[in-house]
Amino acid sequence: MLVSRTLVNRCAKMQHACKRNIAAQALKYKGYAVHKPHEKFELWEYEPGPLAPNDIEIKVTHNGLCHTDLHMRDDDWGLTAYPLIPGHEVVGTVTAVGDDVAGIARGSRVGVGWIRDSCRRCKNCLRGNENLCVKGYTGLIVGPNNFGGFQQVMRAPADFAYVLPDSLSSAAAAPLLCAGVTVYAPLRKHLKAPGMQVAVLGVGGLGHLAVQFAAKMGAAVTAVDIDPTKEQEAKKLGAEHFVEFNAAYEQCKGRFDVIINCVAVRINFQGVLGMLAPDGVAVQCGIPGGGAIIDLNLQDVVFGQKSMAGSIVGGRADMAEMLQFCADKGVEPMVQTMKLSQLNEALELLKAGKPRYRIVMETDI
């Protein structure tokens, strides 16, 4: 009796899937997790289950450390599901691909950022702006069993993983996957002509990248920070001027076309509005915890035709463009590396504002 080739192939696929599921049942991943707010991270194991058809498996080599990891650890935004394994500036090598994955192969060096998934069908997703998904995107570490990069191996949808340009080192690429795209996207949107006056508030993990991006885009950049020792570094990164924060509200009245606020604490937003030139826009990139409120004088907004805007990471189009921009223009974060086993120590340094300017964790599990 003849057996059709289609039936043979189908049986072979079923056998392969069965073997893979049996192997997955015995597989365990190990990472650094917390089980309630304000805990210290400890090693924890879990069973990942079968690899989904559209997912990839990544052997993690590097993670950028972000204030969001602190906020998620402590559930400052009411989004955290425990147990939590954070890490959303992830770089590593693809070790396995799901059956339906195209465009990413085993051995590829990839980066994964804040967005895990979106509806892929709304008008914003179809334009490459998944960060503005009408139905709401899924954060990489938001929701039960959505684990990030603070582990040996992680899984993520292939559509939100990015093959990295060869000229970007893994340590340099990691912070770009959240901090980089968060400040790149609004600058790309609001800088409409060379020579526009841009202020970057807070020369830290976000701000030192914003200074570089704005300068490389042809803007005249003023860096604003509470720490005067950052002046020389800011100017080396591309700033033309440096102003201490407390003096900026008076010294810089009506000066800026675009303000990128990278500060993650409450500040004088009315003072920030006063620093804008007519028709200027202030973009809030840093996110303070605790439900921060912006209070503004409406008359100043209307008569000055000024705008306050927000920016939350970027979509796939922004991410791909930003990574190539960095490779082409030589934009790199200033990083200090620590071992992932030093995660709790690194988070304390971050909380104290001590990194210059981004900590990158090297996986050593």
Side-chain angles (χ1 to χ4, degrees), residues 117-157:
D117 208 351
S118 71
C119 80
R120 323 286 184 89
R121 295 179 179 84
C122 71
K123 63 179 182 179
N124 291 329
C125 286
L126 294 175
R127 293 170 181 165
N129 296 324
E130 292 84 0
N131 57 315
L132 302 177
C133 177
V134 172
K135 295 184 178 180
Y137 68 81
T138 303
L140 184 67
I141 56 175
V142 177
N145 300 317
N146 284 342
F147 301 129
F150 293 167
Q151 53 181 325
Q152 288 175 313
V153 180
M154 69 168 285
R155 291 178 179 174

Side-chain angles (χ1 to χ4, degrees), residues 56-337:
I56 58 175
E57 182 181 82
I58 303 166
K59 182 179 180 181
V60 180
T61 60
H62 296 78
N63 277 276
L65 198 61
C66 177
H67 269 96
T68 294
D69 298 315
L70 280 170
H71 290 306
M72 291 297 293
R73 180 195 68 181
D74 299 336
D75 197 22
D76 287 337
W77 300 333
L79 298 174
T80 305
Y82 298 99
L84 169 74
I85 297 179
H88 60 279
E89 297 179 341
V90 190
V91 174
T93 303
V94 176
T95 53
V97 298
D99 291 340
D100 295 339
V101 171
I104 294 180
R106 291 183 184 179
S108 298
R109 188 174 63 114
V110 298
V112 179
W114 173 250
I115 298 178
R116 173 178 289 274
D117 208 351
S118 71
C119 80
R120 323 286 184 89
R121 295 179 179 84
C122 71
K123 63 179 182 179
N124 291 329
C125 286
L126 294 175
R127 293 170 181 165
N129 296 324
E130 292 84 0
N131 57 315
L132 302 177
C133 177
V134 172
K135 295 184 178 180
Y137 68 81
T138 303
L140 184 67
I141 56 175
V142 177
N145 300 317
N146 284 342
F147 301 129
F150 293 167
Q151 53 181 325
Q152 288 175 313
V153 180
M154 69 168 285
R155 291 178 179 174
D159 285 350
F160 289 89
Y162 306 88
V163 177
L164 298 173
D166 291 338
S167 60
L168 288 176
S169 71
S170 295
L176 298 175
L177 297 164
C178 176
V181 74
T182 295
V183 294
Y184 177 87
L187 286 167
R188 183 74 172 80
K189 178 178 180 179
H190 295 293
L191 286 182
K192 305 181 186 303
M196 291 182 72
Q197 294 287 331
V198 173
V200 176
L201 309 187
V203 185
L206 294 176
H208 88 289
L209 288 168
V211 169
Q212 292 183 71
F213 283 133
K216 296 288 187 182
M217 292 178 187
V221 183
T222 298
V224 180
D225 200 275
I226 60 172
D227 185 354
T229 67
K230 293 182 179 181
E231 179 173 359
Q232 292 307 312
E233 284 177 336
K235 289 182 176 179
K236 286 180 181 178
L237 293 170
E240 295 182 14
H241 307 284
F242 181 92
V243 181
E244 290 187 42
F245 221 116
N246 291 335
Y249 298 122
E250 289 297 324
Q251 190 174 329
C252 300
K253 275 189 175 180
R255 180 185 298 184
F256 301 113
D257 302 302
V258 178
I259 295 175
I260 302 294
N261 184 16
C262 303
V263 177
V265 296
R266 291 174 175 83
I267 62 172
N268 179 0
F269 288 105
Q270 185 61 41
V272 172
L273 189 73
M275 294 162 64
L276 286 174
D279 205 31
V281 58
V283 183
Q284 182 68 28
C285 294
I287 311 175
I293 301 294
I294 295 178
D295 291 315
L296 298 174
N297 185 312
L298 187 57
Q299 284 181 292
D300 291 346
V301 173
V302 173
F303 291 119
Q305 202 168 301
K306 299 176 181 180
S307 304
M308 293 289 290
S311 179
I312 179 68
V313 293
R316 289 190 290 177
D318 290 320
M319 184 75 85
E321 182 181 290
M322 181 271 305
L323 289 169
Q324 194 58 53
F325 184 95
C326 291
D328 292 343
K329 302 292 186 180
V331 175
E332 284 196 4
M334 295 174 64
V335 303
Q336 63 183 90
T337 57

